[in-house]
Amino acid sequence: IISPRQMKPFAVLLLLLWCSTATAKKRAFYQLFTPMIHSAEWPESYAKYRNGLVIMNPFNVSKEVVKKVKKDLNVTVLMYWDTSDIQIKSRGQCAFINKHCTTKGKWSCSSGAVPCCHNISCNEYLQPMCPPDPFHIALHKLFPASWAVNHLYPNGTAVPVCLYGEGPLYIHMPKSVAVLVPFLSKWVLNNGFDGIYLDEYFQNTNVPSVLKHFPAGSTFDANGDSKPESLDAIINQYNTWRPKFSSELRRALGPNAIMIANTGGRMADPALNGLTIEECNQESTCLLAFKEQQAVAHLPYVAVMWLKGDNKHECQIADDLQKKIPYLMQGTDFYDGTHVTCPNN
């Protein structure tokens, strides 16, 4: 029999262990591809993301694959979706000089291809492209190139505009929302994802800043009618249909789905559980963005701070933010195989 005096140290130890578990910082992994879970390093190399969040590409995904990820790491798994660049194969042109957007090679503009990543250190820029999979074949059939942002030429030719490799820019509109919402919700629900990650889901569209790099007098179509739209019309189209897209997607996925968006800054969208922010150089600015979304967010709260590196200043910001926002996770959304988390977290 242990006396009360003898039990005191044990009680203190149990309390410390409980506090350590309750306040453990969770991490987010970006981005997982199906072939990666078949490597010899799975799941040990991903152990620090256990109990956290995984952003997974829909490439060759299946319900069994998603189930395995959840079981092995005890994580929330969200399907990746880019809301600014549509990953379809089409003839396209780069908007301006970008080392990851070319007219030739595997990362060519509008290639519509997915890098074959097989391990945690995969550099997507250096990988060979995988053959088409069911998701991207279906997307290509669903979304015609004429619905992307197209550069209109005097001879009547329309060429999709790319900012990066893999696919052209697009702006939310009635036709795209009507087909993408049921398409995406089907893939999320049928494959057992917990929800969806919306990349490049900006408060304000970046398309006008891209199009200004074209010669003066250039015209563009952003709504699939083959007629030129003014920049003001393009901005209005985005501002009208961006929130419509997220609200319709929330309705299709249901109240239990997790929806978070990489916004690049402030956003208040009641369809979302939270935001992810890159390059948090000023704690107060990022805190304001997270709190503004929290005020209208769909519960439960979920948020991520994507780190640029592992410098002490950035890690201090991450640590301070996580004290003020307990549900905030951290990770790195690089494409070069670098996965950074702060050592103190």
Side-chain angles (χ1 to χ4, degrees), residues 70-313:
K70 291 182 181 182
K71 179 183 178 182
D72 291 350
L73 295 179
N74 190 37
V75 288
T76 297
V77 184
L78 304 184
M79 189 179 86
Y80 176 85
W81 177 251
D82 191 326
T83 64
S84 291
D85 310 275
I86 191 81
Q87 204 162 0
I88 59 173
K89 184 177 178 61
S90 66
R91 184 168 63 101
Q93 64 181 139
C94 294
F96 54 92
I97 296 175
N98 183 318
K99 67 178 182 178
H100 298 306
C101 184
T102 64
T103 56
K104 297 180 180 180
K106 60 188 179 185
W107 270 80
S108 62
C109 172
S110 297
S111 67
V114 176
C116 283
C117 283
H118 294 85
N119 56 65
I120 193 170
S121 58
C122 170
N123 185 332
E124 295 184 36
Y125 299 122
L126 303 179
Q127 297 304 304
M129 292 302 181
C130 287
D133 71 303
F135 178 88
H136 292 92
I137 291 173
L139 177 62
H140 181 70
K141 293 179 180 179
L142 183 79
F143 198 103
S146 60
W147 289 8
V149 176
N150 277 263
H151 185 191
L152 302 178
Y153 286 86
N155 64 1
T157 302
V159 181
V161 174
C162 299
L163 178 57
Y164 305 111
E166 298 188 355
L169 290 163
Y170 74 106
I171 297 285
H172 308 284
M173 59 178 175
K175 289 183 288 189
S176 64
V177 170
V179 299
L180 287 177
V181 167
F183 173 76
L184 294 172
S185 60
K186 175 185 175 182
W187 279 89
V188 169
L189 297 173
N190 287 358
N191 289 290
F193 286 103
D194 296 301
I196 195 165
Y197 174 82
L198 305 176
D199 200 4
E200 300 197 354
Y201 198 62
F202 307 128
Q203 177 75 27
N204 301 305
T205 177
N206 65 336
V207 168
S209 64
V210 174
L211 300 185
K212 72 180 182 180
H213 290 269
F214 283 80
S218 297
T219 57
F220 304 92
D221 172 33
N223 63 8
D225 65 0
S226 301
K227 300 176 182 178
E229 280 86 53
S230 66
L231 290 183
D232 286 341
I234 291 175
I235 292 171
N236 183 62
Q237 177 181 322
Y238 183 87
N239 291 342
T240 300
W241 289 96
R242 179 204 48 82
K244 186 69 171 176
F245 171 75
S246 60
S247 65
E248 290 295 316
L249 192 57
R250 165 58 68 190
R251 185 174 294 108
L253 290 176
N256 296 325
I258 300 297
M259 290 176 53
I260 61 174
N262 190 28
T263 61
R266 296 169 66 179
M267 167 85 75
D269 188 330
L272 302 176
N273 297 81
L275 312 179
T276 71
I277 296 179
E278 303 173 3
E279 299 190 26
C280 186
N281 297 310
Q282 189 170 16
E283 180 186 337
S284 60
T285 301
C286 296
L287 180 62
L288 177 62
F290 286 128
K291 289 293 187 180
E292 284 183 342
Q293 173 57 35
Q294 179 180 306
V296 302
H298 189 92
L299 298 178
Y301 302 130
V302 180
V304 180
M305 175 177 165
W306 295 126
L307 305 170
K308 304 184 301 297
D310 56 358
N311 65 75
K312 292 182 179 180
H313 174 67

